């Protein structure tokens, strides 16, 4: 039976922020969608475990979160930064050479073939350490017989967890759980199942499949198979968060025009590499590190995949113009991401 490894970063955005704001470590922290906590709008994107102790959780309105913990620390979300951390993690996972299915900015499933229990456990440990080495962030890694069960094993082991559920252990692992724990079962599906007397995964496993199909259509059949230990979910390889970048320390520059020649040089080098590797890109980013170490990344998603040097330099030029507003730039970089393999693909334009 082929196994799947599942990685889920723990409280990812908040952990990223703790990394660059070490003074916030150990204190309740919210990363949210509004500029400020007292704007009266916005929701919690992620919060750390210290904030969860006060009952705060993701998707909660900020107005409610602040009632639970008045002096909670707050940071406005910074997707470019989280994406760059994610890119480094996913690039590290790709080094194993296994099929990789990137599920979200902080979750990935890897097809790892057949292994015995000891080998699987050692491999999970090794991947967890590699991810921590490359990111300095906490994560949970689990292995089981399919994407769904591996994800469930991962959820059950959070935070900072490590878990292996071998194929012959799956039934024991899932049967005592409530149906909501089965991936894909949301509140609506759970209500429907409860209305026909099914509240536990073990009850789902013992139900008449025809009754389930009546209630839920073909999804009912999938759930029946899952509840009986069969996980047919597939690893779909993705390339889209991989990125390739170039950056260089420079003499402090005060205007965009001063870095245009460097931008063109870095862009040519990027295009060489993506041609060699057979990729097209769809996102262009430029990055500046300013005097005093603050950084800014500006990104733009194009309407099509491309490998055009001209498109890259024109886009990077426009983005670069927005990086200069008085402060001097001492390090400058260009990145392409949202990559696909060009081989065998049709051009979209
Ligand atoms: Mg996560």
């Amino acid at each position: 039976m082929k196994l799947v490894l599942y990685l889920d970063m723990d409280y990812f955005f908040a952990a990223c922020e703790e990394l660059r704001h070490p003074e916030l470590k150990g204190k309740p922290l919210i990363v949210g969608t509004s500029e400020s906590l007292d704007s009266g709008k916005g929701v919690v994107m992620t919060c750390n475990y210290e904030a969860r102790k006060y009952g705060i959780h993701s998707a909660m309105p900020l107005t409610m979160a602040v009632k639970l913990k008045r002096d909670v620390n707050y940071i406005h979300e910074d997707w470019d930064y989280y994406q760059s951390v994610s890119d480094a993690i996913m690039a590290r996972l790709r080094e194993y050479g296994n099929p990789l299915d990137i599920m979200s900015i902080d979750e990935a499933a890897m097809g790892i073939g057949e292994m015995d229990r000891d080998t699987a456990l050692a491999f999970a440990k090794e991947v967890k350490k590699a991810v921590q080495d490359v990111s300095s962030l906490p994560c949970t890694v689990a292995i089981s017989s399919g994407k769904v069960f591996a994800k469930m094993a991962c959820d059950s082991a959070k935070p900072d967890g490590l878990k292996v559920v071998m194929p012959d252990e799956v039934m024991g692992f899932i049967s005592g759980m409530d149906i909501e724990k089965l991936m894909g079962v949301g509140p609506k599906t759970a209500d429907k199942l409860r209305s026909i007397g099914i509240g536990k995964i073990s009850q789902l496993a013992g139900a008449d499949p025809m009754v389930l199909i009546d209630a839920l259509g073909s999804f009912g059949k999938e759930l029946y198979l899952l509840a009986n230990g069969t996980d047919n979910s597939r690893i779909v390889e993705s390339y889209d968060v991989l990125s390739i970048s170039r950056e260089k320390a420079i003499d402090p520059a005060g205007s965009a025009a001063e870095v245009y020649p460097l931008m063109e040089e870095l862009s040519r080098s990027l295009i060489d590499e993506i041609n060699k590797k057979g990729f097209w890109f769809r996102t262009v980013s430029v990055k500046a590190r300013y005097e005093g170490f603050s950084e800014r990344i500006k990104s733009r998603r194009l309407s099509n995949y491309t490998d055009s040097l001209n498109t890259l330099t024109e886009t990077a030029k426009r983005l670069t113009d927005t990086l200069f507003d008085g402060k001097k730039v001492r390090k400058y970089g260009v990145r392409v991401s949202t990559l696909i393999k060009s081989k065998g693909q049709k051009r979209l334009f």
Side-chain angles (χ1 to χ4, degrees), residues 207-272:
D208 178 348
M210 290 319 290
V211 172
L212 295 175
I213 292 166
D214 262 359
L216 301 167
S218 63
F219 185 46
K221 190 180 162 196
E222 276 175 52
L223 289 180
Y224 176 79
L225 288 172
L226 280 172
N228 281 287
T230 302
D231 182 349
N232 289 325
S233 56
R234 290 165 55 92
I235 297 286
V236 182
E237 274 200 77
S238 19
Y239 293 95
D240 53 344
V241 303
L242 184 64
S243 71
I244 302 175
S245 61
R246 295 283 184 274
E247 58 178 53
K248 206 165 185 236
I250 52 175
D251 290 337
S255 74
E258 287 173 67
V259 300
Y260 286 164
L262 175 62
M263 181 273 288
E264 284 174 14
E265 182 192 319
L266 298 179
S267 298
R268 260 193 296 275
S269 162
L270 280 176
I271 293 292
D272 276 353

Side-chain angles (χ1 to χ4, degrees), residues 8-12 104 106-107 158:
D8 188 356
M9 303 305 294
D10 300 332
Y11 62 99
F12 182 56
S104 73
D106 77 322
E107 293 182 33
K158 286 191 141 300

Side-chain angles (χ1 to χ4, degrees), residues 173-186:
F173 171 63
I174 63 171
S175 60
M177 292 181 179
D178 291 332
I179 43 172
E180 285 90 350
K181 295 277 177 189
L182 208 52
M183 200 166 128
V185 176

Side-chain angles (χ1 to χ4, degrees), residues 95-150:
E95 286 175 19
Y96 291 98
N98 294 320
L100 191 68
D101 190 344
I102 292 160
M103 309 296 293
S104 73
I105 192 165
D106 77 322
E107 293 182 33
M110 185 195 288
I112 59 171
E114 290 177 33
M115 287 183 185
D116 62 31
R117 194 174 210 295
D118 289 346
T119 314
L121 191 60
F123 186 64
K125 270 187 197 160
E126 139 78 30
V127 170
K128 181 170 158 136
K129 185 172 181 303
V131 169
Q132 284 171 333
D133 285 349
V134 77
S135 68
S136 307
L137 293 174
C139 66
T140 298
V141 173
I143 289 176
S144 192
S145 60
K147 212 154 71 173
V148 173
F149 296 141

Side-chain angles (χ1 to χ4, degrees), residues 292-323:
F293 291 98
S294 65
E295 276 190 359
R296 200 184 293 165
I297 297 173
K298 294 281 175 181
S299 302
R300 187 158 172 230
R301 183 164 287 222
L302 307 169
S303 52
N304 290 311
Y305 287 94
T306 180
D307 62 352
S308 151
L309 174 62
N310 199 34
T311 304
L312 176 57
T313 54
E314 285 305 310
T315 311
K317 195 171 176 182
R318 256 175 289 147
L319 291 168
T320 301
D321 290 342
T322 68
L323 289 173

